[in-house]
């Protein structure tokens, strides 16, 4: 099992390497924007890896393309929570919280 620390939350979260950061955060009730429902299409679930970057899954092509959009290429420490899986102790900062996917739209 992996351990997740979210800046601003006073607890350690047990994470599975088989579950994305996005789904781990949602399961724990931690708000994070995810307008496309976690399909790597919107780029709203961005997080900054503050510590433990070596324990994160490698960045895939879809994620790389999404993060190198209109704003220019973002630093390697910025990842999409829907595409990132962890296998050790990782600390993150959520860059956009609160807006979620609504299936009615």
């Amino acid at each position: 099992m992996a351990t997740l620390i979210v800046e601003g939350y006073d607890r350690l979260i047990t994470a599975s390497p088989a579950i994305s950061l996005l789904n781990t955060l949602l399961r724990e009730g931690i708000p994070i924007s995810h307008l496309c429902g976690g399909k790597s299409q919107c780029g709203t679930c961005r997080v900054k890896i503050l510590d433990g970057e070596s324990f994160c899954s490698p960045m895939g092509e879809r994620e790389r393309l999404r993060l190198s959009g209109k704003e220019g290429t973002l630093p390697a420490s910025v990842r999409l929570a829907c595409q990132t899986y962890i296998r050790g102790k990782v600390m993150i900062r959520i860059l956009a919280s609160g807006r979620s996917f609504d299936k009615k739209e």
Side-chain angles (χ1 to χ4, degrees), residues 22-23 26 34-42 44 82 100-102:
L22 175 64
N23 286 327
L26 295 175
H34 57 290
L35 296 177
C36 73
K39 298 179 182 119
S40 186
Q41 294 177 350
C42 67
T44 60
C82 69
S100 64
F101 175 68
D102 185 351

Side-chain angles (χ1 to χ4, degrees), residues 4 6 13 15-16 18-47 79-86 92 94 96-101:
L4 178 63
V6 181
I13 298 167
S16 167
I19 299 174
S20 70
L21 280 180
L22 175 64
N23 286 327
T24 299
L25 293 166
L26 295 175
R27 178 192 73 206
E28 293 294 319
I30 297 173
I32 181 169
S33 186
H34 57 290
L35 296 177
C36 73
K39 298 179 182 119
S40 186
Q41 294 177 350
C42 67
T44 60
C45 66
R46 288 178 296 196
V47 296
R79 299 289 305 269
L80 294 180
C82 69
Q83 300 299 302
T84 306
Y85 297 79
I86 63 172
I92 66 167
I94 297 172
S97 61
R99 296 182 63 197
S100 64
F101 175 68

Side-chain angles (χ1 to χ4, degrees), residues 50-100:
L50 302 174
D51 192 32
E53 195 169 340
S54 64
F55 294 118
C56 295
S57 59
M59 188 179 293
E61 189 60 26
R62 289 178 69 190
E63 182 179 11
R64 190 177 332 282
L65 288 171
R66 182 61 53 208
L67 290 174
S68 62
K70 298 173 190 165
E71 302 168 11
T73 303
L74 295 169
S77 61
V78 174
R79 299 289 305 269
L80 294 180
C82 69
Q83 300 299 302
T84 306
Y85 297 79
I86 63 172
R87 62 183 187 288
K89 188 174 183 180
V90 175
M91 181 175 188
I92 66 167
R93 173 183 301 140
I94 297 172
L95 298 178
S97 61
R99 296 182 63 197
S100 64

